[in-house]
Amino acid sequence: LRVTTFGESHGPAIGCVIDGCPPGIPIAPEDFAHDLARRATGRSRHTSARHEDDQVEILSGVYEGVTTGTPIALLIRNVDARSKDYARIAERFRPGHADYTYWQKYGIRDPRGGGRASARETTMRVAAAVIAKKWLAQRGVTVRGCMVQLGELVPRRHDWDAVEGNPFFWPCAEQVPELEAYMDALRKSGDSVGARIQVVAEGVPPGWGEPVYGKLDAELAAAMMSINAVKGVEIGAGFTAVTQKGSQHRDVMTPQGFLSNHAGGILGGISTGQPIVVSVAFKPTSSLRLPVPGLDVDGNPVEIVTTGRHDPCVGIRATPICEAMLALVLMDQALRHRAQCGDVGPVTPRIPGQMAEC
Ligand code: EPS
């Protein structure tokens, strides 16, 4: 499976091409609405006020409601770009933004919006993954996620049922007013903040992934790091493993199941049958209205102030994006597993997986 995206935040449209998708998956334009709405701006006062319809047009690869096996092309037209917001910084670099490295690499500046570096690009990842989630669900694999840190705030308890009931994808309903107040104060101050998202796949059989090149965890890390604003990825215990003893970290196996999941469902690049658990760190958004000294494209010192519609915490909209990347990697690995090993199922002893804990 291969997904590529195209389009800029302020261009006429964004889109993706999905190559290698098996035939026969039922898909209709309305299937995309749910996940695209979960990711969209303007869902609450805590995200960018830009209002895009995010209506998906299926251009190819689907006939009479099912995938045909040929490349699937999806298109979403941009309807609410406001390029004049960027006039003030068209020749200046926002500290912490890709403006600078794009300029160094290409020597050309598209002054309309964030272009390819905009969170708008992630729309098409979520759209492509609607198909992957559907294909995985037919095989008993489900993917879900939540926010597990906003700035310094962490959930007091983990209740999956709470996640879809608030704009933060937060797993503790009684803390939501605290998050609202935190974000209101932050927005008022003109600053931004980072976040940590956790995504979990359940029902993945043992055996998906590859032992050296194309390890499941390596591909997940690459996929998550390819989302803009991501600065860190952990699988299972992640960096906590640094301070663990081997006797603590190892996941004890019993006929009834593993007793823990520090491995995050992956050993040696191959799934264990336990939930796959991935944590992703998002940096604070760099487009701030707080003035900061910086440089223009000629190297002159200038003051940088970014106005316009920006997310004070891009992590708030990131849960469906991380779910999407997890689903796409899993579908790709499942297809590769099928190509090499056919339907060879798990060999005995098969240890039951466990429910995920955040
Ligand atoms: C973004 C800035 C804002 C956001 C945008 C991401 O848009 P604009 O480019 O018009 O200033 O609204 O996010 C989306 C439009 C989206 O669909 O995610 C940025 O700086 O990354």
Side-chain angles (χ1 to χ4, degrees), residues 9-10 39 41 48 50 86 118-120 123 309-310 317:
S9 177
H10 288 209
R39 191 216 67 92
T41 52
S48 159
R50 182 165 160 178
Y86 285 85
S118 169
R120 183 98 191 107
T123 318
R309 303 165 296 180
H310 298 284
R317 301 194 284 121

Side-chain angles (χ1 to χ4, degrees), residues 311-342:
D311 296 82
C313 173
V314 81
I316 292 176
R317 301 194 284 121
T319 294
I321 305 166
C322 296
E323 289 173 2
M325 297 317 288
L326 176 55
L328 289 167
V329 169
L330 286 174
M331 181 173 173
D332 174 54
Q333 290 280 6
L335 290 169
R336 284 153 67 173
H337 177 70
R338 193 168 74 177
Q340 187 189 17
C341 302

Side-chain angles (χ1 to χ4, degrees), residues 20-34:
C21 185
I25 307 171
I27 200 83
E30 51 274 18
D31 292 342
F32 299 96
H34 176 68

Side-chain angles (χ1 to χ4, degrees), residues 244-309:
Q244 285 177 326
K245 300 285 187 302
S247 53
Q248 286 174 294
H249 180 82
R250 63 187 176 183
D251 298 313
V252 173
M253 303 156 96
T254 75
Q256 290 71 43
F258 291 89
L259 298 187
S260 55
N261 189 11
H262 299 301
I266 304 171
L267 290 172
I270 298 172
S271 61
T272 61
Q274 287 184 280
I276 310 267
V277 184
V278 187
S279 284
V280 187
F282 282 81
K283 71 175 184 179
T285 325
S286 49
S287 301
L288 304 180
R289 63 180 160 80
L290 296 177
V292 62
L295 297 179
D296 68 13
V297 293
D298 298 315
N300 302 312
V302 285
E303 186 185 69
I304 314 284
V305 175
T306 314
T307 49
R309 303 165 296 180

Side-chain angles (χ1 to χ4, degrees), residues 14 24 27 98 160 166 190 315:
I14 51 174
I27 200 83
W160 278 113
N166 68 81

